Amino acid sequence: LNQYANKAPVYATGDTEFGMQIDTHYTDKIPQLTQLRQLKPTWIRGDYNHVTFGPNWPTSVKSIVLVNNETTNSHNPGQNEPFPTWKTYVDTVYVPKLEQILQESPSIVAVEVWNEEDLCHPNFCPYVPPQEYAYLLDQAATAIKAMSSGTKVIMGGLAAGQIQYLQHVIQADLTGFSKIDAVGLHPYGSSPDGWCASGCGGNNLTTGDLASKITDYRTTAGKPVWVTEIGTGCGDQAWQAEYLTRSFTVLQRLQVPVVIWYAWIDTMNPDFGLMDGQGEIKPSGNAFSRFNHQPISFRPLKIKTSKKSHRKKGLVKSHHA
């Protein structure tokens, strides 16, 4: 693993803003003010839950709120259900919940519609068929923009690495797709500029080139790509920090508007954190903070939310969403 001794390039300049994923379901997994000052995130991504925005939440940090079937306290209709079943769910459950969220929390900056809708594994299957997802995205975007025209609408983070899913969603409803602001992407395991594509033992990055993946999805969508999850659970803290540095540098070079690291602390998922299980900053956390330059201001912001927790697992990661 001596490849990572060759340090990453100097940080590029650009307009990329960096943030981190939190676990909204447990108060001990919400960053304390001192930890936020250390990490200096511009964005926080999390499920819509009453724990997400506490009384001491910093108003200078922008929020990406994830809304999926768990948010609506209902089951995913499933990949084999007919379109009318999905339509009923969208019209009578999902969109009303979105409207409730925006009424309660009008200051939300961005809403991510579903999460990893192109993915299905035996223990984690949030999959939504493309035609059904196109309808969901259209109705969600219409409702969000009608209530809060400034709120960004983000297509749920795509994780399977199959660009055909995005193509099929666009083909199913180009008018609906045109209403969104960006496409979410989760490029886990992608190599920044060929680094550790091979020759790094158990730390090989084998899901393709990171820059190529971003470019392919951006070209296909004709819209910005937000990386709403990226990370690694490597127990080698120096390697993890080098991976973050190299990946963030590539994403900044490509001027990806928003990049979210999964996750902020190891208690969310072992070794994925910017901080360890005791809340102490890791080398990856120090690297993360160097990409964030805005000071954190702390003024109370109270938002009422509700949602139950869940566990998700995938090929590259497994975590509480």
Side-chain angles (χ1 to χ4, degrees):
L1 299 182
N2 58 1
Q3 289 191 25
Y4 69 77
N6 179 19
K7 297 302 180 184
V10 176
Y11 301 114
T13 59
D15 297 325
T16 303
E17 295 180 335
F18 297 93
M20 60 193 193
Q21 180 88 11
I22 67 170
D23 188 330
T24 65
H25 308 294
Y26 305 95
T27 54
D28 61 351
K29 295 181 183 179
I30 304 298
Q32 301 297 315
L33 301 188
T34 54
Q35 294 165 328
L36 283 171
R37 287 191 177 102
Q38 286 179 285
L39 295 169
K40 299 181 290 185
T42 302
W43 289 83
I44 294 287
R45 178 180 183 260
D47 297 337
Y48 192 71
N49 186 279
H50 73 282
V51 178
T52 308
F53 304 101
N56 294 318
W57 196 250
T59 57
S60 61
V61 176
K62 293 179 278 191
S63 58
I64 302 175
V65 172
L66 173 64
V67 181
N68 62 4
N69 65 295
E70 292 288 339
T71 318
T72 64
N73 295 317
S74 61
H75 293 292
N76 182 339
Q79 59 180 321
N80 297 319
E81 291 296 327
F83 182 84
T85 301
W86 274 98
K87 184 177 185 302
T88 298
Y89 168 77
V90 171
D91 295 345
T92 64
V93 179
Y94 189 88
V95 168
K97 182 63 177 180
L98 267 181
E99 293 171 340
Q100 176 193 341
I101 289 170
L102 291 172
Q103 287 171 352
E104 293 176 347
S105 309
S107 63
I108 289 173
V109 178
V111 174
E112 195 166 2
V113 181
W114 218 261
N115 184 57
E116 300 184 348
E117 59 275 2
D118 61 338
L119 198 63
C120 188
H121 299 311
N123 296 323
F124 175 63
C125 187
Y127 186 83
V128 184
Q131 181 182 5
E132 284 75 358
Y133 183 77
Y135 180 77
L136 166 64
L137 193 62
D138 183 10
Q139 297 304 304
T142 300
I144 293 167
K145 294 298 185 180
M147 296 187 66
S148 178
S149 60
T151 298
K152 300 292 186 182
V153 180
I154 313 302
M155 180 177 181
L158 300 168
Q162 301 297 320
I163 204 165
Q164 293 86 350
Y165 183 91
L166 174 60
Q167 293 168 339
H168 293 157
V169 170
I170 296 171
Q171 291 166 3
D173 187 357
L174 181 58
T175 301
F177 187 80
S178 68
K179 300 174 184 177
I180 72 171
D181 296 285
V183 170
L185 187 64
H186 297 174
Y188 284 101
S190 297
S191 167
D193 292 337
W195 181 74
C196 278
S198 62
C200 285
N203 292 327
N204 284 342
L205 300 166
T206 59
T207 67
D209 180 71
L210 178 59
S212 297
K213 186 171 292 187
I214 298 297
T215 301
D216 289 348
Y217 275 85
R218 186 162 59 189
T219 300
T220 299
K223 291 180 178 291
V225 167
W226 287 22
V227 174
T228 53
E229 287 186 30
I230 189 171
T232 177
C234 176
D236 183 333
Q237 293 190 8
W239 191 94
Q240 184 197 36
E242 187 69 10
Y243 167 78
L244 182 150
T245 299
R246 290 177 177 271
S247 296
F248 278 20
T249 298
V250 169
L251 297 170
Q252 198 171 52
R253 185 180 75 221
L254 295 173
Q255 295 185 305
V256 174
V258 176
V259 176
I260 303 297
W261 179 266
Y262 181 90
W264 86 271
I265 193 167
D266 281 349
T267 54
M268 287 177 58
N269 207 347
D271 299 323
F272 272 80
L274 302 169
M275 291 188 164
D276 63 24
Q278 288 70 50
E280 298 296 327
I281 196 164
K282 294 164 56 178
S284 59
N286 286 321
F288 176 89
S289 69
R290 289 195 290 270
F291 282 91
N292 293 284
H293 308 293
Q294 295 184 357
I296 299 294
S297 62
F298 298 92
R299 180 164 53 83
L301 174 64
K302 297 181 179 180
I303 298 180
K304 295 168 56 181
T305 66
S306 62
K307 193 171 95 55
K308 63 184 180 181
S309 65
H310 67 286
R311 181 179 295 273
K312 55 183 281 188
K313 293 189 177 181
L315 287 175
V316 184
K317 62 176 173 56
S318 62
H319 61 270
H320 286 88

